[in-house]
Amino acid sequence: MDTTTTVLPNNGGRRRLVLLPLPLQGHLNPMLQLANILQSKGFSITILHTRFTSPNPTNYPHFNFLPIPDVGLENHSLSDIGNLIRLLHHLNTNFLRPIRDSLARLMLEDVGVSCLITDAQWFATQTVADSLKLPRIVHRTSNISSFLSFAAFPLLRDMGYFRPFSDEELKSEALVPGLEPLKIKDLPKFLTSDSEEACELIELMVQGTKRAQAVIWNTFKELEELELTTLSRGFPNPHFLIGPFHKYFPESSSSLLAQDQTSISWLDKHPHNSVLYVSFGSLAMIEESQFLEMAWGLANSKQPFLWVIRPGSIQGFEWLEPLPDGFLERIAEGRGYIVKWAPQQEVLAHPAIGGFLTHNGWNSTLESISEGIPMICSPCFGDQPTNARYVSDVWKIGLELENGLERLGIESSIKRVMVDKEGIEMRKRVLNLKEKANLCLKKGGSSYTSLEDLVDYILSL
Ligand code: UDP
């Protein structure tokens, strides 16, 4: 599909912002939501994007889409985390020239460009922006807490945390000095697998964020007030906390996969708070043995479940081949429903949902908080362990699977979150956060005010 559209000759006198998303589902979603928010504030929006995992422009007729010529991504797939690191490296080296050329052309047009807003992981674009004398604002799709752990990398290196850890250390309850409440096992996983390249990329992302004019966060002040104070000490650039982005407008689909709407009609048949939603986002992969443990844990829990299993997400299989014969009908006695991809925000907002077994990607975590759904956490990599620690130990709105994906732990956690008194308390706390999330978007609320400030700030550039 050729996604090229020409820039509208008449943009109604609106100032133009160019947004550059990272081509990954968990990054595209919030960036396109941010684009909608800024468009509603009177800016005209141009989305500069790779052809690799391109957003679908027909869902956003009010934006201009400008594809960057792809350089060497034709055969790229995201089947392991190593590929993700290589992708980030590739984007930040080989795409800089085409990005610069595209921006330079846009700046020559009558409407010009007021500001470039890039995903934080496009860290090398700061140099491009500087060379064009174009202000760059960073959009950080993750939260402040996990960013602080990334920002602590030099310190962690000095303290000897850049090495593979023993099983004993990974089980330790001791907190990492300066990064409380994080434990060793919560540190970003690539530290423990000794990946210098990943650490280097993270450090460049942190430096690129520091050099940007300002930072936009998909979080809200009431959730991360202490962390914001710590952040502001090390990163004096202005920070705009204007989340949760997805609550501003009804969902407009930036989904790269077709969302199975039968999820909703299936949920309609279930009582309030009775169904566990299970999804590990767009990138995480699990092994066959972990998948089977999940299946048995879900079946044994006797709780209804809606389970998203992405094709290709079980290592070595196309889809459901490892599932025992007759699993849904006989073993789980018709209580389960499996889809390839769900309309997740709609699912989490459905009254039948009572809990979320999640990998704790930041979008999923925030979407769960925004709907008042307690979580069972099984983080995989990157910022997910930090998010899970905050869910279980700081906000106390969920619990973590202590022994990973293992059937007994899954079964008992489902009971604790969906049935026991402990779960009722978690639900109360997460409903309280949901209320705060709603209030912060209303006139005078923290995100509402921060968005007004952001608009004024961009106009002042
Ligand atoms: N998502 C979805 N349908 C699904 C699973 C996930 O629409 O079946 C969306 C979800 O709502 C979220 C995004 O995909 O906005 C996943 O982002 P997240 O940060 O949670 O995880 P990632 O995919 O980046 O690991």
Side-chain angles (χ1 to χ4, degrees), residues 213-229:
Q213 294 268 340
V215 191
I216 301 172
W217 299 86
N218 186 13
T219 184
F220 56 102
K221 193 172 155 212
E222 288 73 6
L223 200 57
E224 299 197 277
E225 197 142 22
L226 276 179
E227 289 72 20
L228 176 61
T229 309

Side-chain angles (χ1 to χ4, degrees), residues 26 29 259 277 279 281-282 308 341-342 344 359 361-364 367:
N29 287 1
Q259 296 179 319
Y277 174 58
S279 168
S282 64
V308 176
W341 192 247
Q344 179 163 306
H359 72 312
W362 180 240
N363 294 295
S364 295
E367 288 162 14

Side-chain angles (χ1 to χ4, degrees), residues 36-54:
N36 268 332
I37 295 167
L38 293 170
Q39 205 259 354
S40 78
K41 289 289 167 190
F43 294 102
S44 99
I45 303 291
T46 293
I47 307 284
L48 191 59
H49 63 92
T50 57
R51 288 179 194 271
F52 175 74
T53 64
S54 160

